[in-house]
């Protein structure tokens, strides 16, 4: 089942939650909607589900217009951030709910319901909890039950709103890989919302990066990480250092020192640019005659696991530079706070300022 | 920026779709209509009738009814009963809430239930218990009559019955409120050198002032309007042991309907003022 | 009953506050209430039993409890409706109407009584609509039902309203995504969730109704065996100086009230638990 979103607009008062959003979700893929809070990602998911109305635009399921279809007729599975389990029903009855509310004509019999529910509970590996009530379960267990409940109606698409948002870090990681495996087995077209870039990059087939109600970039995790189309995407996908500069014949010169770095994208000569480098793409060397680099002073050193974080203060700017270098390299440099070094970005993304 | 406004050709028209969890408009209208009809028949019409009946015979009759000496005496007694019972129950409410909300002790839940007890006692029984204690045949009956003291069929009985029926109002507002606020602020005040009274006056009471006011308003309305309990202990002596609600009853039973409703309209006005104050406090409270 | 501080506290005033609370509670409530129970001991068991099971008394129970039950039932249905409309829909005058729901708490019962009697009598505004069909409301058991519905009206609204306000919209959305119709969502999800609060409101309304006196006596007609409520019978016995008889009836009513209080506490505990869970 493919999903197509065409030119959807949705305003809440003066706030444009979705601003001319168009998107195609391929059959069987697992798509992540990634963005900061207020970026419109949850609204988009709810529009696809039919929980939210649109001001203009279309939602198509498998090429058919579903825009005015009621949520209960869309056959979507929706998993809520806070699970939304029915607290007065047992786990079994929660999962059975979607089957029991079907019109009499195609409502399965009791034995069929039982078989189906137990099958789903086995799928989420919680069949032993069938007779419990939601409040007796842990957060991770509840979320798996919420997923089983959504799957019970044999949805055409599965939509998950920050599915791991309310869980602690460890459970989160476990559920993440588990969801990926589950998806690989079932191949149901799935869209999930997250504000966690690691989660989006690790789990999904494709990532949609959103900001301020607009889609910034769509691509595989590799694509959006390695080839961000704009500064927002680059910054949102990880820590960055910003250098100002200008373009000069195929290279960008950054900082007052005019350190040359390869320029990317459509920049014209003389244009002011913003160059971004990730902390792990920054090289530090001891100052030597003839070596180019941004001259800076080491302010603070912190060893974290296999890397050392170095905070630097450039001579000619107030903006600090953050670098992450491997431990052995740090040991070779034998840096201490107050040392002078040259900073050289190995990999830079250049965007028009 | 490519918005639908800039590119109207791309903005596809949408049929209005109802929100996923909303009822169709006709269901909404039907339910609102039913609810309003129910409230109208049971609340609004009777209230309107009070004022209509009160003014039916003209403003002159109305004015006469509410200014005759017996009516004024009833007003005075009603105000007196409220003026004694409300402050007493206020002090009790603060003391009970302080003990219950700020300290841990065994039997707390039982105490809370006992404080609520007067709400589940019929007003008639509330009057009866004081007759059994202070009436002629009661525990202290003989002793009281020997010393020529009268409680039942006199003002003290009316005050006692009023205190009983309004007993829980302030306490039951304050207890949950003060429990929710915990003891941290009071502990901070004590650490800073405040005495117990200073802590109560400067920290605790300002924090719960709206709840306190709310309890006082409810307590006052009930004190001024109480009928059953007061009726049992009053003796219905005009000009002496008649409160406003009892005065309404006497006039009504004497078929002086216009006067009865005129007196009743005073109490209805009190009820309306109470509702306005209550809504106002609730709004302040919510902020 | 032992009151002992379990945990040390730096706050002063526990002794005096609790002492005053207990003293005041005993003087105003506990000692006078115990008088009723002690008074009944002046009766033999047979005399007590005769007093509380006389035909006229039994008829008054039937009316009091029957009408109270029906009134609480009406209030449960319409109270839920009113709470729903006040929480879920927008319409002009909503705030005023919301405040107006508390009128039965604020309006003195005697005023309510004469107003209802005037409105529901055969020539009253509403009574006259029914009179042509031979339906008399005021001065019949039906009048008792009307008065008890009036005084119990706010209870269900005020217990259901906050629960409805706190309900997460996700529950209903989840039901909708699973294919439930609005009606199914209500019967299978919303109603069970609201049930504890609804039952609490019902019980409060019922408990209030069985003790009610002021609003009923004006509209009831007070015909022995037909439209005489138990609280009125207590007063009648008092006026005939039958203190023991009045007290016996009072004890029966008190025991039932206390039982209801216990039930209400259990219901509220259940409601809190259901709201707290998940």
């Amino acid at each position: 089942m493919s999903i197509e979103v065409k030119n959807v607009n949705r305003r809440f008062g003066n706030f444009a939650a979705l601003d001319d959003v168009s998107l195609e979700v391929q059959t069987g893929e697992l798509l992540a909607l990634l963005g900061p809070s207020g970026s419109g990602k949850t609204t988009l998911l709810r529009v696809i589900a039919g929980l939210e109305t649109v001001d203009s635009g279309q939602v198509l399921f498998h090429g058919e217009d579903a825009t005015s279809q009621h949520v209960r007729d869309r056959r979507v599975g929706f998993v809520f951030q806070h699970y939304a389990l029915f607290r007065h029903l047992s786990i079994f009855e929660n999962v059975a709910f979607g089957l029991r509310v079907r019109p009499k004509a195609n409502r399965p019999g009791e034995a069929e319901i039982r078989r189906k529910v137990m099958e789903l509970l086995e799928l989420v590996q919680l069949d032993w909890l069938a007779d419990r009530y939601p409040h007796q379960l842990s957060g991770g267990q509840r979320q798996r039950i919420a997923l089983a409940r959504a799957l019970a109606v044999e949805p055409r698409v599965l939509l998950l709103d920050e599915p791991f948002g309310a869980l602690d870090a460890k459970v989160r990681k476990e559920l993440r890989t588990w969801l990926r495996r589950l998806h690989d087995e079932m191949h149901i077209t799935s869209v999930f919302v997250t504000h966690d870039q690691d989660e989006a990059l690790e789990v999904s087939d494709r990532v949609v990066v959103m900001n301020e109600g607009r889609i910034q970039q769509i691509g595989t995790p590799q694509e959006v990480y390695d080839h961000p189309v704009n500064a927002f995407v680059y910054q949102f996908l990880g820590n960055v250092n910003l250098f100002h500069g200008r373009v000069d014949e195929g290279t960008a010169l950054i900082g007052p020192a005019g350190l040359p770095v390869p320029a990317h994208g459509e920049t014209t000569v003389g244009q002011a640019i913003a160059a971004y480098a990730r902390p792990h793409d920054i090289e530090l060397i001891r100052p030597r005659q003839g070596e180019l680099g941004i001259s800076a002073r080491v302010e603070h050193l912190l060893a974290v696991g296999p890397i050392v974080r170095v905070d630097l203060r450039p001579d000619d700017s107030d903006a600090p530079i953050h670098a992450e270098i491997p431990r052995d390299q740090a040991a070779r440099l034998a840096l201490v706070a107050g040392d002078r070094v040259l900073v050289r970005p190995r990999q830079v993304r250049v965007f028009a300022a | 920026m490519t918005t639908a406004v800039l590119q109207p050709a791309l903005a596809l028209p949408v049929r209005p779709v109802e929100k996923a969890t909303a009822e169709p408009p006709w269901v909404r209208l039907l339910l609102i209509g039913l609810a309003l009809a129910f409230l109208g028949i049971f609340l609004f019409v009777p209230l309107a009738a009070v004022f209509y009946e009160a003014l039916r015979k003209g403003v002159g009759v109305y004015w006469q009814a509410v200014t005759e000496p017996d009516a004024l005496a009833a007003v005075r007694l009603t105000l007196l009963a409220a003026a004694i019972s409300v402050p007493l129950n206020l002090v009790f409410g603060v003391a009970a809430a302080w003990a219950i909300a700020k300290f841990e002790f065994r039997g707390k839940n039982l105490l809370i239930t006992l404080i609520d007890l007067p709400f589940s006692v019929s007003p008639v029984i509330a009057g009866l218990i004081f007759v059994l204690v202070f009436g002629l045949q009661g525990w202290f009956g003989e002793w009281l009559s020997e010393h020529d003291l009268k409680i039942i069929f006199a003002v003290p009985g009316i005050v006692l019955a009023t205190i009983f029926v309004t007993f829980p109002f302030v306490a039951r507002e304050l207890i949950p409120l003060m429990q929710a606020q915990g003891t941290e602020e009071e502990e901070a005040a004590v650490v800073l050198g405040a005495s117990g009274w200073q802590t109560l006056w400067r920290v605790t009471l300002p924090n719960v002032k709206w709840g306190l006011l709310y309890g006082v308003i409810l307590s006052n309305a009930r004190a001024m309007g109480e009928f059953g309990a007061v009726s049992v202990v009053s003796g219905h002596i005009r000009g002496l042991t008649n409160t406003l609600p009892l005065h309404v009853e006497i006039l009504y039973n004497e078929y002086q309907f216009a006067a009865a409703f005129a007196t009743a309209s005073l109490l209805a006005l009190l009820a309306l003022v109470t509702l306005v104050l209550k809504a106002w406090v609730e709004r302040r409270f919510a902020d | 009953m032992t009151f002992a501080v379990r945990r040390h506290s730096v706050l002063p005033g526990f002794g005096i506050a609790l002492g005053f609370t207990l003293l005041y509670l005993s003087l105003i409530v506990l000692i006078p209430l115990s008088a009723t129970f002690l008074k009944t001991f002046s009766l033999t068991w047979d005399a007590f039993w005769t007093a509380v099971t006389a035909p006229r008394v039994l008829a008054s129970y039937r009316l009091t409890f029957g009408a109270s039950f029906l009134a609480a039932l009406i209030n449960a249905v319409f109270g839920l409706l009113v709470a729903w409309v006040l929480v879920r829909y927008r319409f002009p005058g909503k705030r005023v109407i919301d405040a107006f729901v508390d009128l039965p708490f604020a309006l003195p019962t005697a005023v309510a009584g004469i107003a209802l009697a005037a409105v529901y009598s055969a020539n009253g505004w509403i009574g006259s609509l029914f009179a042509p069909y031979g339906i008399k409301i005021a001065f019949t058991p039906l009048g008792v039902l009307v008065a008890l519905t009036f005084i119990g009206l706010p209870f269900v609204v005020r217990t259901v309203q906050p629960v409805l306000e706190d309900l997460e919209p996700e529950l209903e959305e989840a039901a909708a995504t699973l294919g439930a119709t609005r009606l199914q969502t209500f019967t299978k999800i919303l109603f069970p969730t609201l049930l504890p609060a609804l039952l609490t409101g019902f019980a409060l309304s019922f408990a209030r109704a069985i003790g009610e006196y002021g609003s009923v006596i004006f509209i009831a007609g007070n015909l022995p065996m037909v439209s005489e409520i138990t609280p009125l019978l207590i007063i009648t016995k008092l006026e005939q100086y039958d203190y023991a008889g009045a007290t016996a009836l009072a004890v029966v009513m008190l025991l039932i009230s206390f039982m209801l209080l216990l039930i209400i506490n259990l219901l509220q505990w259940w409601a809190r638990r259901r709201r707290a869970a998940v």
Side-chain angles (χ1 to χ4, degrees):
Chain A
M1 173 66 54
S2 67
I3 308 169
E4 203 178 334
V5 175
K6 273 189 183 168
N7 307 101
V8 162
N9 283 282
R10 179 71 171 110
R11 303 185 74 85
F12 297 109
N14 277 330
F15 176 72
L18 293 178
D19 187 355
D20 194 36
V21 167
S22 296
L23 170 69
E24 260 181 75
V25 188
Q26 319 291 342
T27 304
E29 80 171 325
L30 177 53
L31 186 92
L33 297 178
L34 174 68
S37 59
S39 59
K41 55 191 193 302
T42 294
T43 307
L44 179 56
L45 191 78
R46 289 170 61 87
V47 161
I48 295 171
L51 289 170
E52 201 64 68
T53 57
V54 298
D55 298 332
S56 63
Q58 261 188 321
V59 178
L60 291 89
F61 280 18
H62 215 80
E64 273 173 47
D65 187 2
T67 318
S68 4
Q69 206 175 22
H70 194 275
V71 52
R72 72 174 153 268
D73 304 320
R74 286 197 193 186
R75 277 188 48 213
V76 295
F78 201 99
V79 176
F80 294 84
Q81 181 175 6
H82 297 285
Y83 332 123
L85 293 182
F86 306 131
R87 62 197 68 174
H88 63 285
L89 296 180
S90 67
I91 297 309
F92 182 91
E93 286 302 325
N94 260 282
V95 178
F97 184 87
L99 303 172
R100 293 200 191 282
V101 296
R102 280 197 191 161
K104 267 225 166 65
N106 51 7
R107 190 183 302 165
E110 193 57 39
E112 173 64 13
I113 290 178
R114 176 136 211 107
R115 192 191 60 74
K116 185 111 198 243
V117 171
M118 290 318 288
E119 194 183 291
L120 281 162
L121 287 176
E122 275 161 35
L123 180 74
V124 299
Q125 298 151 358
L126 292 175
D127 47 321
W128 50 287
L129 290 175
D131 297 328
R132 303 275 182 91
Y133 282 82
H135 67 93
Q136 296 169 305
L137 271 57
S138 72
Q141 290 173 333
R142 283 181 210 175
Q143 196 56 292
R144 274 145 72 185
I145 296 302
L147 188 66
R149 183 179 69 175
L151 291 173
V153 293
E154 288 167 18
R156 301 186 291 176
V157 298
L158 187 60
L159 308 171
L160 307 101
D161 183 12
E162 300 256 5
F164 316 121
L167 303 168
D168 62 56
K170 188 165 172 288
V171 182
R172 223 179 148 108
K173 278 228 153 106
E174 284 168 15
L175 272 189
R176 219 190 260 178
T177 37
W178 176 80
L179 177 71
R180 181 68 241 186
R181 277 211 315 274
L182 193 73
H183 183 267
D184 291 343
E185 280 170 36
M186 311 206 356
H187 279 295
I188 178 168
T189 310
S190 307
V191 181
F192 80 100
V193 158
T194 180
H195 61 262
D196 181 338
Q197 63 273 21
D198 290 344
E199 200 166 285
L201 298 175
E202 195 181 313
V203 178
S204 64
D205 296 321
R206 285 197 305 155
V207 180
V208 176
V209 185
M210 294 189 70
N211 189 36
E212 291 177 340
R214 264 168 274 160
I215 290 179
Q216 306 291 322
Q217 188 173 4
I218 306 177
T220 63
Q222 190 87 43
E223 275 164 15
V224 293
Y225 191 82
D226 291 342
H227 305 286
V229 295
N230 61 28
F232 171 80
V233 174
Y234 194 73
Q235 288 188 67
F236 193 72
L237 290 179
N239 295 326
V240 288
N241 291 294
L242 167 64
F243 304 98
H244 293 288
R246 65 194 158 72
V247 176
D248 182 29
E249 287 180 13
T251 50
L253 305 175
I254 58 173
L259 184 71
V261 290
H264 302 257
E266 298 84 44
T267 45
T268 51
V269 172
Q271 192 183 14
I273 48 118
Y276 293 89
R278 299 219 182 273
H280 58 80
D281 283 333
I282 288 199
E283 188 185 12
L284 301 179
I285 53 169
R286 290 279 180 186
R288 265 191 311 251
Q289 203 63 42
E291 290 282 0
L292 281 176
I294 299 165
S295 175
R297 198 166 56 83
V298 175
E299 290 220 308
H300 189 72
L301 291 149
L302 181 67
V304 184
I307 58 149
V308 177
R309 288 190 188 147
V310 189
D311 293 348
L312 302 133
R313 171 78 53 187
D315 295 348
D316 47 32
S317 160
D318 282 338
I321 298 172
H322 301 284
E324 289 176 7
I325 54 175
R327 252 186 202 231
D328 54 341
Q329 198 184 331
R332 251 180 285 127
L333 284 165
L335 292 174
V336 291
D339 281 358
R340 305 211 61 80
V341 290
L342 287 179
V343 174
R344 288 207 301 211
R346 269 191 301 261
Q347 280 261 5
V348 191
R349 299 294 310 177
V350 174
F351 302 101
Chain B
M1 195 169 69
T2 52
T3 66
V5 183
L6 294 172
Q7 293 174 300
L10 282 173
L12 296 154
V14 189
R15 271 167 290 159
V17 137
E18 62 199 65
K19 211 173 160 281
T21 53
E23 291 75 39
W26 69 268
V27 173
R28 257 177 281 167
L29 279 178
L30 179 74
L31 294 181
I32 293 174
L34 273 174
L36 292 186
F38 175 73
L39 293 179
I41 290 170
F42 278 96
L43 296 187
F44 185 73
V45 171
L47 184 69
V50 172
F51 293 101
Y52 174 79
E53 296 284 342
L55 292 165
R56 195 152 79 155
K57 296 261 167 69
V59 179
V61 175
Y62 183 91
W63 187 248
Q64 210 184 343
V66 298
T67 53
E68 61 145 334
D70 287 351
L72 291 178
V75 170
R76 274 195 297 276
L77 182 55
T78 297
L79 291 177
L80 178 73
I84 297 174
S85 58
V86 173
L88 276 177
N89 286 336
L90 175 64
V91 172
F92 161 74
V94 173
W98 179 265
I100 288 169
K102 306 293 177 190
F103 299 91
E104 289 301 322
F105 54 89
R106 260 199 302 191
K108 196 178 194 169
N109 287 328
L110 179 64
L111 183 59
I112 294 173
T113 309
L114 289 177
I115 288 172
D116 264 350
L117 210 53
F119 275 160
S120 52
V121 172
S122 167
V124 168
I125 296 172
L128 171 72
I129 58 176
F130 291 105
V131 173
L132 292 180
V133 175
F134 298 111
L136 261 184
Q137 326 214 340
W139 289 350
F140 302 112
E142 241 169 81
W143 185 87
L144 286 169
S145 73
E146 271 167 24
H147 293 77
D148 209 18
L149 292 171
K150 242 183 130 143
I151 289 181
I152 297 308
F153 306 136
V155 174
I158 289 174
V159 173
L160 273 176
T162 307
I163 292 176
F164 181 92
V165 294
T166 57
F167 186 85
F169 279 104
V170 178
R172 70 152 27 184
E173 288 304 323
L174 287 188
I175 291 170
L177 203 57
M178 279 165 64
Q179 273 178 330
Q181 286 174 347
T183 57
E184 272 188 17
E185 286 186 43
E186 281 79 8
E187 282 164 0
V190 170
V191 170
L192 292 169
S195 72
W197 280 115
Q198 284 172 322
T199 307
L200 181 69
W201 281 106
R202 287 160 183 267
V203 177
T204 309
L205 291 182
N207 270 338
V208 295
K209 61 175 182 237
W210 295 114
L212 198 82
L213 188 58
Y214 194 82
V216 166
I217 290 168
L218 294 182
S219 162
N220 181 63
R222 181 72 194 265
M224 292 191 174
E226 178 52 28
F227 176 74
V230 171
S231 171
V232 175
V233 295
S234 133
H236 305 89
I237 308 161
R238 277 191 156 183
L240 283 179
T241 61
N242 245 3
T243 62
L244 268 181
L246 296 177
H247 191 58
V248 170
E249 184 197 19
I250 289 182
L251 292 172
Y252 188 84
N253 287 344
E254 289 172 353
Y255 301 102
Q256 300 187 46
F257 290 133
F261 278 102
T263 314
S265 73
L266 296 181
L267 290 167
L269 279 177
L270 170 76
L272 289 178
V273 170
T274 302
L275 288 184
V276 170
L277 281 176
K278 195 170 157 290
W280 178 72
V281 170
E282 274 166 5
R283 190 115 43 90
R284 293 300 301 262
F285 208 11
D287 293 344
Chain C
M1 190 164 42
T2 53
F3 294 101
V5 187
R6 231 193 271 151
R7 198 177 45 133
H8 176 74
S9 171
V10 297
L11 299 179
F14 176 69
I16 186 167
L18 187 63
F20 177 71
T21 300
L22 292 178
L23 178 72
Y24 191 75
L25 178 71
S26 307
L27 286 179
I28 301 290
V29 179
L30 299 182
I31 294 172
L33 266 183
S34 64
T36 47
F37 291 92
L38 292 174
K39 180 79 184 175
T40 47
F41 290 137
S42 64
L43 287 173
T44 63
W45 173 250
D46 283 343
F48 176 81
W49 190 248
T50 314
V52 299
T53 56
R56 187 174 164 189
V57 176
L58 290 181
S60 84
Y61 293 153
R62 268 196 297 278
L63 177 64
T64 305
F65 292 102
S68 297
F69 187 84
L70 280 179
L73 211 59
I74 293 172
N75 279 326
V77 173
F78 283 92
L80 177 61
L81 174 69
V82 169
W84 177 269
V85 165
L86 285 177
V87 173
R88 291 297 173 100
Y89 304 144
R90 293 165 56 144
F91 52 92
K94 180 168 133 170
R95 279 245 288 268
V96 176
I97 288 164
D98 194 347
F100 200 62
V101 166
D102 283 328
L103 182 74
F105 284 161
L107 193 70
T109 52
V111 178
I114 64 169
L116 290 171
V119 170
Y120 286 90
S121 66
N123 51 8
W125 289 343
I126 294 174
S128 61
L129 302 177
F130 290 88
Y133 305 100
I135 301 171
K136 276 187 72 184
I137 299 176
F139 318 121
T140 69
L142 217 51
V144 177
L145 181 63
V146 168
L148 295 182
T149 305
F150 172 87
I151 54 116
L153 193 151
F155 287 103
V156 174
V157 182
R158 293 304 183 223
T159 47
V160 172
Q161 206 174 6
V163 183
L164 206 47
E165 276 166 356
D166 285 354
L167 221 59
E168 319 94 287
E170 285 86 2
L171 287 182
E172 289 160 71
E173 290 177 350
T177 60
L178 294 170
T181 64
R182 225 24 219 152
L183 192 64
Q184 284 172 323
T185 306
F186 182 81
T187 55
K188 286 172 181 281
I189 303 301
L190 291 172
F191 188 76
T193 310
L194 296 174
L195 190 62
L198 192 64
L199 284 176
T200 306
F202 173 87
L204 285 169
S205 174
F206 181 68
R208 171 73 206 262
I210 59 170
E212 180 56 18
Y213 173 70
S215 59
V216 177
I217 52 158
F218 295 98
I219 199 176
N222 306 327
L223 220 60
M225 303 298 293
V226 177
S227 59
E228 188 179 49
I229 54 165
T230 313
L232 177 65
L233 207 51
I234 294 176
I235 291 212
T236 310
K237 283 182 185 289
L238 264 185
E239 283 169 353
Q240 295 161 350
Y241 302 104
D242 179 6
Y243 286 86
T247 312
L249 276 187
V251 164
V252 172
M253 298 284 287
L254 275 178
L255 289 178
I256 291 166
S257 296
F258 294 163
M259 233 163 58
L260 277 170
L261 188 67
L262 185 73
I263 291 170
I264 289 166
N265 276 337
L266 287 174
L267 281 172
Q268 276 170 338
W269 171 80
W270 182 33
R272 260 200 309 277
R273 217 186 59 157
R274 177 155 287 185
R275 280 173 79 177
V278 184

